[in-house]
């Protein structure tokens, strides 16, 4: 049996979900978990570990372990060189996907052949392309690249014809993203998006970590430089942080943290202490929410719901704070780190014409799994698909302005940021020299009016313009962005019968054969022996 799924390829954790019966459900992985660390590690014997297995050896193999590869998506330089073999970010991501899917397939019984993969709303074209390639290298048919906040809306059961506007607050492991999304008249629309790229649960861990180091120094006069000892502190504080989401107090005990003098760390931290240690971090996210509302010219009263997404919104202070700010409109699912994968699954099912789904009666394993999950109780988010999901149109927005360089290093915006996509805009430019037959078009994205301060996406040359005095030959430059957020640039001269047109696809384009080659070259990921 072949399955289509939704995948949340996260910075720190990834998850895969599928519409089963009439619920979107995160698939259990082979070890019973529902999310998997987005970590890959290369062993000396040539084997490759991914997920928990990779995270477990991360301390011993810092130079052979790759974490947070999502931050590098779209970059052309390899993120790792192992035994002379270079790995691009999408190849490392493909290894994560491979491990994730094989773990899910074990429980699913059948092969996962197609998927919708989510990306942050601010992801550039290049980053979206790289994400799509990661899926294709794994052998997946990537049906769509979907923005994470849009996925969250779908998973929260908001129907496209429900007239409402939500603020999606996504606090993950390494990043914070906020988006305003509206639903109504059959479409979802991302109205605006903002965030902090180095701000997530890791930052909360770091405050606790620093606190432990401070106490160690007070107690012993020592600092802790040994990476293995530091890793033990990280593990201890992360687990204390998780405990504090459930309890008022947590004990941080790290036996024999120092051997000379012999020293065991043992302290109790209260939720209040933790919250005041990390209050600034929470404040920063709130400030960004208001900045976004300001930018898109929305008043808080125009927000109907605040949706909490991401593992770090399990911390009770997050919900409490947002309720203080926005009132009683804050919603959080019992498992906020599964929401994005579920939304992607709904989109995947809709694209595969599988919504609404009549129960997969022939498949006992699926039913068993479904019951298994339902038994997990109130933590499980249930979703009832609307009657007509297949007619749903999803609209997203551009996260950065797109345009071209003009004379004097000026940036001429063609598509301003936060424009709804799909979109197509044309601007006309004129030659600046007499008898100019060539125009070099530099396509950039960014917010600076100085072209060279923005990110160069691609350059191409339009030749064969008719000879004429400066300013008499015009060139139409058309930028269009499709449903997946992928940019196409097209330039043509419009002068009498002389007409030239060129279309480029931005970014490093890979042919089907190149992707096939990467797929063949991808090492096998070790499966744990059970
Ligand atoms: P990402 O999308 O960035 O990969 P997730 O949404 O999976 O991340 O969130 C991961 C973060 O959530 C980590 O920082 C982790 O420590 C945090 N987290 C997970 N569970 C809890 C919990 N019970 N309490 C507090 N933080 C948690
Ligand atoms: Mg996430």
């Amino acid at each position: 049996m072949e399955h289509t799924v939704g995948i949340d390829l996260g910075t720190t954790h990834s998850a895969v979900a599928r519409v089963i019966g009439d619920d979107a459900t995160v698939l259990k992985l082979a070890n019973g978990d529902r999310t998997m660390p987005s970590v890959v590690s290369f062993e000396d014997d040539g084997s490759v570990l991914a997920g928990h297995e990779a995270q477990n050896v991360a301390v011993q193999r810092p130079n052979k372990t790759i974490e947070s590869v999502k931050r590098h998506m779209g970059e052309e330089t390899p993120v790792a060189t192992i035994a002379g073999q270079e790995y691009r970010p999408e190849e490392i991501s493909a290894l994560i996907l491979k491990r994730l899917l094989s773990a899910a397939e074990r429980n699913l019984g059948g092969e996962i052949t197609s998927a919708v993969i989510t990306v942050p709303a601010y992801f550039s074209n290049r980053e979206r392309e790289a994400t799509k390639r990661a899926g294709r290298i794994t052998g997946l048919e990537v049906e769509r690249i979907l923005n994470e906040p849009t996925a969250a809306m779908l998973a929260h059961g908001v129907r496209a014809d429900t007239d409402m506007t939500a603020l999606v607050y996504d606090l993950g492991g390494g990043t914070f993203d906020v988006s305003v999304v509206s639903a109504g008249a059959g479409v979802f629309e991302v109205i605006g998006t903002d965030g902090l790229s180095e701000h997530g649960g890791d930052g909360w861990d770091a405050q606790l970590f620093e606190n432990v180091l401070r106490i160690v120094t007070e107690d012993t006069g020592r600092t802790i430089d040994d990476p293995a000892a530091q890793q033990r502190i990280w593990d201890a504080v992360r687990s204390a942080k998780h405990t504090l989401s459930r309890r008022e107090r947590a004990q941080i005990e790290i036996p024999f943290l120092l051997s000379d003098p012999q020293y065991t760390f043992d302290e109790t931290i209260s939720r209040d202490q933790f919250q005041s240690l990390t209050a600034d971090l929470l404040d920063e996210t709130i400030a960004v929410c208001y900045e976004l509302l300001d930018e898109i010219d929305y008043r808080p009263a125009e927000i109907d719901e605040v949706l909490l997404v991401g593992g770090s919104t399990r911390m009770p202070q997050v919900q409490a704070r947002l309720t203080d700010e926005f009132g009683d409109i804050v919603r959080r699912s019992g498992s906020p780190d599964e929401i994005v994968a579920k939304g992607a699954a709904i989109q995947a099912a809709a694209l595969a014409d599988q919504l609404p789904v009549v129960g997969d009666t022939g498949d006992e394993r699926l039913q068993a799994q479904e019951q298994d999950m339902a038994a997990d109780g109130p933590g499980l988010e249930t979703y009832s698909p609307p009657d007509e999901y297949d007619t749903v149109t999803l609209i997203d927005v551009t996260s950065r302005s797109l345009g071209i360089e003009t004379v004097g290093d000026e940036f001429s915006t063609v598509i301003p940021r936060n424009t709804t996509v799909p979109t197509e805009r044309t601007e006309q430019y004129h030659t600046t020299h007499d008898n100019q037959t060539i125009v070099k078009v530099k396509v950039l994205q960014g917010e600076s009016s100085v072209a060279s301060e923005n990110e160069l996406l691609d350059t191409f040359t339009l030749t064969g313009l008719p000879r004429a005095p400066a300013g008499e030959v015009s060139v139409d430059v058309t930028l269009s962005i499709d449903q997946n957020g992928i940019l196409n640039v097209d330039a043509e001269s419009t002068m009498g019968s002389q007409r030239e047109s060129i279309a480029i696809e931005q970014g490093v384009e890979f042919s089907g054969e190149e992707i096939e080659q990467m797929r063949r070259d991808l090492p096998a990921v070790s499966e744990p022996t059970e």
Side-chain angles (χ1 to χ4, degrees):
M1 191 174 175
E2 296 191 345
H3 301 290
T4 184
V5 297
I7 299 172
D8 174 6
L9 187 56
T11 310
T12 63
H13 291 87
S14 297
V16 51
R18 182 174 176 269
V19 170
I20 297 174
D22 56 6
D23 271 353
T25 316
V26 166
L27 298 175
K28 261 194 196 167
L29 307 177
N31 61 358
D33 285 348
R34 297 196 197 157
T35 63
M36 189 191 91
S38 306
V39 184
V40 171
S41 186
F42 293 86
E43 299 291 275
D44 289 333
D45 66 5
S47 59
V48 180
L49 304 178
H52 280 290
E53 292 87 54
Q55 197 173 48
N56 291 342
V57 300
V59 201
Q60 296 103 284
R61 310 185 59 76
N63 302 323
K64 298 279 161 62
T65 303
I66 298 114
E67 294 179 272
S68 302
V69 69
K70 189 170 179 176
R71 293 190 190 287
H72 300 285
M73 285 307 252
E75 290 174 10
E76 287 178 46
T77 40
V79 276
T81 306
I82 309 288
Q85 166 92 35
E86 293 185 337
Y87 291 93
R88 300 175 59 95
E90 55 268 49
E91 291 174 294
I92 297 297
S93 300
L95 290 167
I96 295 168
L97 286 174
K98 232 168 130 169
R99 179 79 189 90
L100 181 72
L101 297 184
S102 77
E105 279 170 348
R106 284 197 189 193
N107 276 335
L108 197 56
E111 199 192 343
I112 293 168
T113 51
S114 62
V116 167
I117 307 178
T118 58
V119 296
Y122 61 78
F123 250 29
S124 69
N125 198 47
R126 201 182 281 272
E127 294 163 316
R128 285 165 199 269
E129 283 280 16
T131 303
K132 197 169 176 186
R133 279 199 299 277
R136 290 178 63 200
I137 297 167
T138 320
L140 281 175
E141 197 69 54
V142 181
E143 304 291 353
R144 176 139 329 160
I145 296 296
L146 179 67
N147 280 342
E148 287 161 11
T150 310
M153 292 288 283
L154 288 171
H156 270 276
V158 178
R159 297 175 55 146
D161 53 9
T162 326
D163 214 354
M164 66 93 82
T165 301
L167 182 138
V168 182
Y169 175 104
D170 182 349
L171 190 59
T175 54
F176 168 65
D177 305 321
V178 57
S179 311
V180 172
V181 186
S182 78
V187 294
F188 285 95
E189 182 173 359
V190 182
I191 294 163
T193 180
D194 207 338
L196 298 164
S197 60
E198 301 282 342
H199 198 98
D202 293 348
W204 272 256
D205 300 343
Q207 290 299 321
L208 283 177
F209 180 88
E210 294 301 327
N211 196 48
V212 167
L213 290 190
R214 200 156 46 230
I215 295 170
V216 171
T217 306
E218 273 167 26
D219 286 355
T220 68
R222 296 295 191 89
T223 55
I224 298 200
D225 305 315
D226 171 38
Q230 289 195 352
Q231 183 64 47
R232 291 178 65 209
I233 303 178
W234 283 117
D235 292 345
V237 299
R238 198 161 295 134
S239 123
K241 178 185 78 172
H242 291 191
T243 302
L244 289 170
S245 293
R246 284 177 283 121
R247 302 219 178 92
E248 284 294 334
R249 310 183 73 75
Q251 193 189 5
I252 306 178
E253 193 188 352
I254 314 167
F256 308 113
L257 185 57
L258 289 175
S259 51
D260 182 28
Q262 213 175 68
Y263 172 75
T264 287
F265 186 90
D266 189 4
E267 293 278 331
T268 299
I269 181 162
S270 72
R271 192 181 270 179
D272 284 349
Q273 283 171 316
F274 173 55
Q275 292 181 357
S276 44
L277 269 179
T278 55
D280 290 352
L281 295 173
L282 189 52
D283 288 348
E284 285 175 56
T285 67
I286 302 296
V288 175
C289 293
Y290 286 115
E291 276 162 33
L292 172 63
L293 289 174
D294 214 44
E295 186 189 340
I296 60 175
D297 213 8
Y298 265 61
R299 284 172 294 111
E302 289 174 273
I303 301 296
D304 300 305
E305 276 184 12
V306 173
L307 301 184
L308 303 189
V309 181
S312 297
T313 63
R314 288 178 188 263
M315 294 187 292
Q317 63 266 42
V318 176
Q319 184 156 9
R321 178 64 187 277
L322 282 151
T323 305
D324 278 352
E325 300 291 337
F326 292 97
D328 206 12
I329 55 168
V330 180
R331 283 171 72 197
R332 198 202 67 187
S333 119
S335 25
D337 35 11
E338 299 180 359
I339 273 298
V340 168
K342 286 180 184 175
I346 291 162
Q347 177 67 74
L351 290 171
D353 262 342
Q354 291 175 359
L355 276 179
V357 173
V358 192
D360 282 300
T361 43
D363 196 330
E364 283 166 26
R365 292 182 74 165
L366 288 184
Q367 285 189 332
Q369 187 176 28
E370 194 183 346
Q371 277 159 13
D372 188 17
M373 291 187 162
D376 284 352
L380 191 72
E381 177 82 356
T382 53
Y383 164 78
S384 299
D387 305 331
E388 291 181 64
Y389 238 106
D390 45 357
T391 63
V392 160
T393 320
L394 296 172
I395 297 186
D396 286 328
V397 295
T398 57
S399 55
R400 303 187 209 164
S401 301
L402 292 156
I404 67 166
E405 182 191 293
T406 58
V407 184
D409 196 18
E410 268 188 43
F411 180 59
S412 163
T413 302
V414 180
I415 301 178
R417 71 179 293 221
N418 282 332
T419 297
T420 299
V421 298
T423 186
E424 182 176 304
R425 301 270 175 99
T426 302
E427 287 289 330
Q428 197 165 76
Y429 300 93
H430 301 275
T431 50
T432 50
H433 308 296
D434 291 342
N435 297 325
Q436 181 179 348
T437 58
I438 289 177
V439 171
K440 199 171 176 197
V441 181
K442 277 191 181 180
V443 186
L444 305 124
Q445 70 181 354
E447 309 315 316
S448 173
S449 58
V450 180
S452 56
E453 288 177 1
N454 292 324
E455 184 193 350
L456 181 65
L457 296 179
D458 216 333
T459 304
F460 66 94
T461 309
L462 186 64
T463 55
L465 301 182
R467 293 178 184 275
E472 279 190 13
V473 177
S474 55
V475 173
D476 279 348
V477 176
T478 303
L479 268 59
S480 60
I481 303 173
D482 71 13
Q483 191 68 261
N484 295 322
I486 288 166
L487 170 70
N488 277 280
V489 183
D490 187 277
E492 60 181 51
S493 81
T494 49
M495 265 295 263
S497 58
Q498 298 276 7
R499 199 178 170 102
E500 290 214 8
S501 169
I502 187 170
I504 55 152
E505 247 191 273
Q506 182 273 320
V508 221
E509 230 351 88
F510 288 79
S511 67
E513 297 93 84
E514 278 171 304
I515 292 198
E516 192 47 43
Q517 187 61 45
M518 286 194 209
R519 176 156 132 79
R520 280 197 296 269
D521 289 348
L522 207 63
V525 182
S526 304
E527 299 285 339
T529 41
E530 281 167 28

